[in-house]
């Protein structure tokens, strides 16, 4: 039987369609693009390219058991569209999809998301379906809502305020995948957090679980509907292979019955079809355990994709040697597993990728030089070459001493009013206190006495704070104005479509802010020449002091405004350079990863990359 209606139909609502130019419309477009790309790059779709056929892909058979109010119903034909027709009858659907690895849970989730997206576009009262992967969730230290808010910002470029509003108003339908990628010790905390989320009746949720012993059972999560996918029957496998004209493979499976449980899982069935022509007779050894069979299939698939890329229809645009591909992809797989992630973004690379002290020192020195050069250029342009060299030396030294281990945070590339206040009024104030304390100690040691030393210290602190406030207050006001201008120019949602878009955004913000300050810089440089050149004698000292103060204010304001974006760019460029020198990554990393997508080893969605399946990623770590 096919998927039954999960929920009784309700009267059709006459709701207006969503405007595609609003923030909700932009988010729907981003999620729709992700769903389309991931389905298009799925192994089932790529199989047809490997087989060299132009016919539309055959629908992969699925079967399972549906638990509705704890009553099981056997389903012989499951597809996402039919499932969506049952789920979307209510405004706030709740569903759990489970099954063993490779059974097709993620594909079914994507098909379901595609129809829910269409429903949300046509009906503005429906929640916005958004895809999340649970691998990055630290359920023991982070609430589900906080994690969702952060993921919206990282993955879809949604501002914190907008994400908070959407989650508070239950405008989102989280579609969670990868529960089995969570660390086992976090499963209990995750289940408690999920049930706390579901305790509010208007909060929808769809979740995929791997079917492991530690995963939530049908009765563990407070979800009314549970769909458990099951292995295909031998009849379904035979019919599928017959349509694909793979009768020889079915004969081989019948000859070696130990392989039948493996080919009943859709992932291994498709991989076996793709690699059957490269199998050796010894590969069908009946003594192989299930894990050994899986490794054999994965090894044959990797070998085929590395050494025979022309079987994909057309040669890759930028071919890469099998040795380099194996080395660089192995490094990437190990990094993703170590970071407990499921995907990779170039602009979110972190210094913890460095493997030894030598690489760390190289990164720290290069990052300090890049960062110091940018700071020296700011102060040199406004104040003078001497100030620029002094700033370069100080900023480079401070980076090496204090910021060598800092994480790269591409989310905070723009300055805000509070951040500017903290930077201008608070940062480096400890150095001023130390300076005043040294003056007080010198006065005490110079025979002036302890009381006189304390008095000198307090007077020095007062003078320093007053002098600093004289410059800091106008710097903060000017910086806040520039920050508001930049905030006005930015959108509340920015869907990232290019691999390096995060770093490009930081660099663009840096350049745009600098351009905003150029008229002020030109004014400081040209005004004295225009106003006072006709007058005999030197420029009055009061005017010179006033202009010099403006230069200091301008340099501090510009540096405070671009500090975070300049730091991100310096850290990222230094990290990329060190990793390239260590042969951990190629120089043009985006082109390499795109080529891996052409080899059908990776999938790309916007700026993010992931292996076509976690099991393939795990196999790469052993090569």
């Amino acid at each position: 039987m096919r998927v039954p209606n999960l929920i009784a139909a309700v009267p059709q609502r006459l709701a207006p369609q969503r405007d595609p130019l609003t923030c909700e419309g932009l988010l729907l477009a981003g999620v729709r693009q992700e769903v389309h790309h991931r389905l298009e790059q799925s192994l089932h779709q790529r199989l047809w390219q490997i087989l060299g056929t132009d016919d539309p892909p055959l629908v992969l058979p699925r079967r399972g058991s549906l638990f509705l109010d704890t009553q099981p119903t056997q389903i012989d034909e499951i597809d996402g569209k039919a499932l969506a027709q049952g789920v979307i009858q209510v405004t706030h659907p709740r569903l759990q999809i489970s099954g063993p690895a490779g059974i097709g849970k993620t594909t079914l989730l994507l098909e379901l998301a595609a129809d829910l997206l269409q429903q949300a576009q046509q009906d503005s009262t429906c929640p916005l379906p958004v895809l999340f992967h649970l691998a990055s969730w630290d359920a023991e230290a982070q609430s589900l809502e906080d994690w969702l808010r952060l993921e919206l910002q990282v993955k879809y470029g949604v501002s914190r305020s907008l994400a908070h509003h959407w989650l508070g108003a239950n405008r989102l339908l989280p579609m969670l995948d990868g529960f089995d990628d969570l660390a086992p010790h976090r499963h209990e905390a995750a289940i408690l957090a999920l049930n706390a989320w579901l305790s509010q009746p208007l909060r929808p949720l769809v979740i995929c679980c791997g079917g492991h012993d530690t995963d939530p059972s049908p009765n563990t999560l407070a979800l009314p509907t549970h769909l458990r996918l099951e292995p295909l029957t031998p009849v379904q496998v035979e019919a599928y292979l017959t349509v694909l004209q793979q009768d020889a493979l079915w004969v081989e499976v019948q000859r070696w019955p130990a392989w039948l449980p493996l080919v009943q899982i859709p992932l291994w069935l498709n991989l076996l079809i793709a690699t059957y022509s490269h199998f050796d007779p010894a590969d069908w050894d009946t003594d192989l355990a299930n894990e050994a069979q899986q490794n054999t299939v994965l090894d044959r698939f990797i070998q085929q994709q590395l050494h025979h890329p022309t079987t994909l229809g057309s040669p890759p645009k930028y071919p890469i040697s099998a040795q380099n591909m194996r080395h660089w992809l192995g490094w990437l797989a190990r990094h993703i597993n170590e970071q407990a992630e499921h995907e990779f973004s170039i602009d979110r690379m972190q210094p913890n990728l460095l493997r030894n002290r030598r690489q760390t020192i190289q990164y720290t020195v290069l990052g300090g030089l890049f960062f110091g050069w940018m700071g020296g250029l700011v102060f040199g342009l406004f104040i003078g070459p001497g100030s620029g060299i002094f700033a370069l030396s100080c900023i480079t030294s401070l980076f090496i001493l204090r910021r060598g281990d800092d994480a790269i945070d591409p989310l905070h590339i723009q300055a805000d009013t509070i951040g500017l206040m903290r930077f201008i009024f608070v940062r480096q104030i400890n150095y001023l206190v130390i300076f005043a304390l040294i003056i007080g100690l010198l006065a005490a040691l110079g025979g002036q006495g302890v009381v006189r030393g304390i008095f000198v210290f307090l007077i020095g602190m007062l003078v320093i704070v007053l002098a600093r406030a004289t410059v800091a207050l106008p710097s903060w006001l000017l910086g806040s104005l520039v920050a508001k201008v930049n905030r006005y120019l930015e959108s509340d949602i920015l869907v990232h479509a290019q691999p390096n878009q995060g770093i490009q955004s930081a660099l663009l913000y840096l350049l745009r802010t600098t351009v905003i300050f150029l008229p002020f810089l030109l004014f400081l440089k040209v005004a004295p020449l225009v106003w006072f050149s006709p007058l005999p004698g030197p420029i009055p000292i009061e005017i010179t002091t006033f202009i010099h103060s403006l230069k200091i204010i301008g340099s501090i304001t510009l540096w405070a405004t671009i500090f975070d974006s300049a730091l991100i760019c310096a850290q990222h460029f230094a990290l990329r350079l060190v990793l390239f020198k260590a042969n951990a990554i190629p120089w043009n990393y985006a082109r390499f990863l795109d080529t891996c997508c052409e080899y059908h080893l990776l999938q790309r969605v916007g700026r993010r990359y992931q292996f076509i399946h976690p099991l393939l990623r795990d196999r790469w770590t052993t090569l």
Side-chain angles (χ1 to χ4, degrees):
M1 61 175 294
R2 298 186 63 84
V3 178
N5 238 2
L6 303 185
I7 300 170
V10 297
Q12 183 68 30
R13 292 168 300 201
L14 299 177
Q17 294 188 359
R18 276 190 171 90
D19 185 352
L21 299 180
T22 61
C23 290
E24 290 189 353
L26 293 174
L27 179 62
L28 283 179
V31 180
R32 186 182 299 108
Q33 182 184 46
E34 177 181 5
V35 170
H36 172 73
H37 285 172
R38 290 182 62 183
L39 286 175
E40 189 178 51
Q41 299 174 76
S42 67
L43 181 62
H44 178 60
Q45 296 284 335
R46 294 294 178 89
L47 174 64
W48 291 79
Q49 301 177 27
I50 295 174
L51 294 177
T53 178
D54 296 328
D55 296 332
L58 176 70
V59 176
L60 186 66
R62 296 191 188 96
R63 61 187 295 270
S65 297
L66 178 68
F67 295 85
L68 183 59
D69 297 330
T70 70
Q71 297 297 322
T73 301
Q74 187 66 35
I75 307 172
D76 297 326
E77 299 179 29
I78 300 175
D79 64 83
K81 188 174 183 63
L83 185 63
Q85 289 174 351
V87 174
I88 63 180
Q89 296 296 330
V90 293
T91 307
H92 304 281
R94 297 182 173 193
L95 172 68
Q96 176 183 348
I97 303 174
S98 68
I103 199 69
K105 302 182 300 295
T106 299
T107 302
L108 184 61
L109 183 74
L110 293 172
E111 293 174 355
L112 174 60
D115 284 277
L116 291 174
L117 284 166
Q118 183 178 0
Q119 176 76 3
Q121 183 65 52
Q122 297 173 352
D123 187 347
S124 61
T125 63
C126 290
L128 308 169
V130 187
L131 298 170
F132 299 97
H133 199 282
L134 291 165
S136 61
W137 181 27
D138 185 358
E140 296 174 322
Q142 196 176 25
S143 69
L144 179 60
E145 186 168 348
D146 289 342
W147 175 75
L148 290 174
R149 188 182 301 113
L150 180 62
E151 286 295 295
L152 284 169
Q153 189 177 5
V154 171
K155 189 174 181 180
Y156 296 105
V158 179
S159 66
R160 293 180 63 86
S161 59
L162 184 58
H164 180 76
H165 168 70
W166 278 344
L167 289 170
N170 295 325
R171 297 300 299 143
L172 301 180
L173 166 54
M175 306 188 74
L176 310 179
D177 195 9
F179 189 93
D180 47 324
D181 287 337
L182 282 172
H185 65 273
R186 293 177 177 171
H187 281 202
E188 183 178 355
I191 293 173
L192 292 175
L194 289 167
N195 282 331
W197 169 276
L198 293 168
S199 63
Q200 299 190 27
L202 296 181
R203 284 183 165 176
L205 185 74
V206 178
I207 183 171
C208 283
C209 304
H212 295 175
D213 293 336
T214 55
D215 288 344
S217 65
N219 299 323
T220 304
L221 291 175
L223 291 164
T225 309
H226 173 241
L227 177 63
R228 185 177 66 205
L229 299 180
E230 299 173 353
L232 305 176
T233 64
V235 174
Q236 289 177 312
V237 174
E238 180 182 8
Y240 185 66
L241 292 176
T242 301
V243 172
L244 292 179
Q245 299 180 358
Q246 298 291 316
D247 302 276
L249 176 57
W250 178 242
V251 171
E252 201 73 39
V253 171
Q254 289 180 307
R255 180 184 175 191
W256 304 98
W259 283 80
L260 182 59
L262 189 70
V263 300
Q264 289 179 273
I265 305 297
L267 170 68
W268 302 111
L269 177 60
N270 280 329
L271 283 174
L272 197 59
I273 293 172
T275 58
Y276 173 61
S277 59
H278 294 271
F279 260 61
D280 295 328
D283 292 334
W284 297 97
D285 190 344
T286 56
D287 294 331
L288 290 176
N290 184 263
E291 182 178 355
Q293 292 175 338
Q294 294 179 4
N295 292 337
T296 299
V297 175
L298 291 174
D299 289 343
R300 288 291 175 259
F301 180 76
I302 291 173
Q303 181 181 4
Q304 171 181 295
Q305 301 309 96
L306 289 180
H307 298 281
H308 304 282
T310 54
T311 60
L312 307 182
S314 60
K317 187 175 181 181
Y318 300 101
I320 301 172
S321 68
Q323 181 180 359
N324 285 338
M325 183 82 74
R326 190 183 299 270
H327 173 70
W328 289 330
L329 273 184
W331 179 91
L332 178 62
R334 288 189 293 273
H335 161 66
I336 294 177
N337 282 352
E338 289 171 1
Q339 299 302 312
E341 299 283 352
H342 81 289
E343 58 186 11
F344 174 78
S345 296
I346 296 177
D347 48 13
R348 291 188 59 80
M349 297 167 64
Q350 297 296 329
N352 57 17
L353 295 174
L354 304 173
R355 296 302 181 187
N356 52 57
R357 183 172 178 79
R358 181 180 179 182
Q359 292 180 4
T360 302
I361 293 174
Q362 291 175 345
Y363 161 75
T364 304
V365 173
L366 286 174
L369 289 175
F370 290 155
F371 193 45
W373 174 81
M374 286 186 277
L377 186 62
V378 169
F379 287 91
L381 287 175
F382 273 93
I383 303 176
S387 298
I389 295 174
F390 179 74
L392 186 152
S393 303
C394 292
I395 294 172
T396 300
S397 301
L398 290 174
F399 182 95
I400 293 174
L401 294 174
R402 299 186 57 191
R403 296 194 169 273
D405 298 329
D406 282 2
I408 304 175
D409 187 8
L411 296 180
H412 300 93
I413 62 175
Q414 297 191 17
D416 54 21
T417 302
I418 298 177
L420 284 170
M421 178 181 290
R422 186 181 301 112
F423 182 92
I424 295 175
F425 287 96
V426 179
R427 285 190 183 181
Q428 290 87 44
I429 194 69
N430 52 335
Y431 300 109
L432 298 178
V433 173
I434 294 174
F435 177 74
L437 182 60
I438 292 175
I439 297 297
L441 288 175
L442 291 177
L445 295 175
Q448 301 293 330
V450 177
V451 176
R452 187 65 177 270
I454 295 175
F455 178 76
V456 171
F457 166 72
L458 294 176
I459 294 297
M461 278 296 302
L462 180 62
V463 172
I464 289 173
V465 170
L466 290 176
R468 184 174 180 81
T470 304
V471 176
L473 183 60
S475 299
W476 172 65
L477 293 175
L478 180 60
S480 299
L481 177 62
V482 175
K484 289 185 181 298
V485 171
N486 275 300
R487 183 70 63 183
Y488 176 77
L489 295 175
E490 291 289 344
S491 173
D492 282 332
I493 178 170
L494 178 62
V495 178
H496 299 284
Q498 300 300 325
N500 294 296
Q501 191 167 345
I503 297 300
Q504 291 173 358
S505 298
L507 186 60
L508 178 62
Y509 172 80
L510 189 153
L511 295 175
R512 186 175 64 215
T513 304
T514 304
V515 170
I516 293 175
F517 273 85
L518 282 180
F520 183 60
L521 173 62
L522 294 175
F523 170 79
L524 294 178
K525 297 291 185 182
V526 175
L529 301 177
V530 175
W531 290 350
F532 299 102
S533 58
L535 300 178
I539 301 175
I541 187 64
E542 296 83 0
I543 301 299
T544 303
T545 304
F546 176 72
I547 293 176
H548 186 69
S549 299
L550 290 180
K551 291 180 179 179
I552 295 176
I553 292 172
S555 59
I556 292 177
T557 305
L558 176 56
W559 182 238
T561 308
I562 67 172
F563 183 89
D564 290 329
S565 56
L567 178 62
I568 291 169
C569 292
Q571 290 174 303
H572 181 80
F573 294 147
L575 179 63
R576 291 276 294 272
L577 191 59
V578 173
L579 291 177
F580 167 71
K581 187 176 181 298
N583 196 32
I585 63 174
W587 179 250
N588 193 334
Y589 205 17
R591 187 172 71 182
F592 164 73
L593 295 176
D594 287 338
T595 302
C596 292
C597 294
E598 296 182 36
Y599 279 66
H600 300 351
L601 295 171
L602 298 180
Q603 295 177 353
R604 173 187 163 185
V605 179
R607 64 175 180 175
R608 307 182 309 278
Y609 296 87
Q610 64 183 39
F611 283 83
I612 60 172
H613 198 276
L615 292 174
L616 180 67
R617 182 188 68 217
D618 294 339
R619 189 58 182 166
W620 271 105
T621 62
T622 64
L623 299 179

